Amino acid sequence: MSPPRHLHSGEAQLRDVAFARSAPTYGRWISWILVLVIGTNLLWLVATNPNFEWQVVLKWFTEGSVLKGLQVTLGLTVVSMVLGTLLGLLLGVWRLSENRLLRGVAGLYIWFFRGTPLLVQLIFWYNLSTLFPALSLTLPWTDITLASWNTNDLITPLTAAIAGLALNEAAYMAEIIRAGLLSVDNGQVETTQAFGMSRSRALRRIIIPQAMRSIIPPTGNQLISMIKATSLVSVIAMGDLLYSVQAIYNRTFEIIPMLMVAVIWYLLITSILNLGQSAIERYYARGTRRVASAPRRAAVAANAQPQQEEQ
């Protein structure tokens, strides 16, 4: 008695898979060799080019003013990211609000800050005193002044940098958060309404925690982008990492080595953040992988059942 046809087809599929795995992948080996040759050649050129002056890079890499600029860069990143995320959360919720006024305000804010360059925004905040020499708190439609401040006293390079970075970041975080909230199943929203939960409580307890799976990975990308965007504050005389190395090469005229100091520090920081982002993405993708693998397990079990019956 000949074996069932589906056994023959299964054996043929196994043979095809085994042949595909054992077949030589010449294209893959050639691509690996090309990449290794080109990459090794580039590394050799960089390492042996005397114009990079690696001894100067090593000398200034951990110098006090450079490390101080690095601290300013990290501090600006943390403060601006926290403020931008909080404001972006508010704007993202407003974008989904049933109130047309809130939707319009949030949309106008996002349109403006995403549509203008960050460098222009930083320069604008730094020169705010040319528009408003003094900032006053007055009663509406009266000349009664409750408090007044000199704009130059309030808008320092630090406050201008934080304002520019945080307000710009809020526009991008608002869209990330809005997309995350939209990724939550509508059934969850309907369930909260059926239980009589208010919209704000449903957001805090149900919707936002579930949306974090879609919000956190792109937020990691924004954090890495923020690290690099802080280099723009050097144009407003803010003593960040780039400004510190610029101040040194303006005295020593060692432009390329000092720029390499900044490049290496930025690469180190972003590499660490990339590792953290990968770990977070794996953590939030665990449930997705389990759900995606369930149908495959069911299909394997269904295919194995007829074979067991034949035996």
Side-chain angles (χ1 to χ4, degrees), residues 177-241:
I177 293 172
R178 182 178 70 90
L181 295 176
L182 289 174
S183 68
V184 178
D185 187 10
N186 287 332
Q188 301 290 334
V189 180
E190 295 173 356
T191 302
T192 60
Q193 294 174 351
F195 279 97
M197 296 179 65
S198 64
R199 180 174 175 81
S200 59
R201 187 177 182 184
L203 283 171
R204 294 195 308 270
R205 298 289 185 87
I206 306 297
I207 299 175
I208 292 179
Q210 294 188 43
M212 294 303 289
R213 178 179 297 173
S214 301
I215 292 174
I216 286 185
T219 302
N221 289 330
Q222 287 300 118
L223 179 60
I224 294 173
S225 298
M226 175 66 75
I227 285 283
K228 295 177 289 184
T230 56
S231 61
L232 296 176
V233 303
S234 61
V235 301
I236 59 174
M238 185 65 198
D240 71 317
L241 176 60

Side-chain angles (χ1 to χ4, degrees), residues 84-95 106 174 177:
T85 302
L86 293 176
L87 182 55
L89 175 61
L90 180 63
L91 293 169
V93 173
W94 282 7
R95 284 275 285 164
I177 293 172

Side-chain angles (χ1 to χ4, degrees), residues 13 22 33 37 40 126 133 141 143 180 192 203 238 241 285 299 304 307:
Q13 291 176 358
S22 61
I33 293 173
V37 170
T40 304
Y126 185 66
W141 305 292
D143 294 332
T192 60
L203 283 171
M238 185 65 198
L241 176 60
Q307 298 181 11

Side-chain angles (χ1 to χ4, degrees), residues 68-80 117-127 156-168 225-244 246 266:
K68 185 177 179 181
L70 178 63
Q71 292 176 359
V72 172
T73 293
L74 295 176
L76 278 176
T77 301
V78 173
V79 173
S80 301
L118 175 58
L119 180 60
V120 176
Q121 296 174 28
L122 288 169
I123 297 174
F124 176 84
W125 284 109
Y126 185 66
N127 294 279
T156 63
L158 177 61
T159 55
I162 292 176
L165 292 172
L167 294 176
N168 182 267
S225 298
M226 175 66 75
I227 285 283
K228 295 177 289 184
T230 56
S231 61
L232 296 176
V233 303
S234 61
V235 301
I236 59 174
M238 185 65 198
D240 71 317
L241 176 60
L242 182 59
Y243 184 85
S244 299
Q246 286 176 331
Y266 282 123

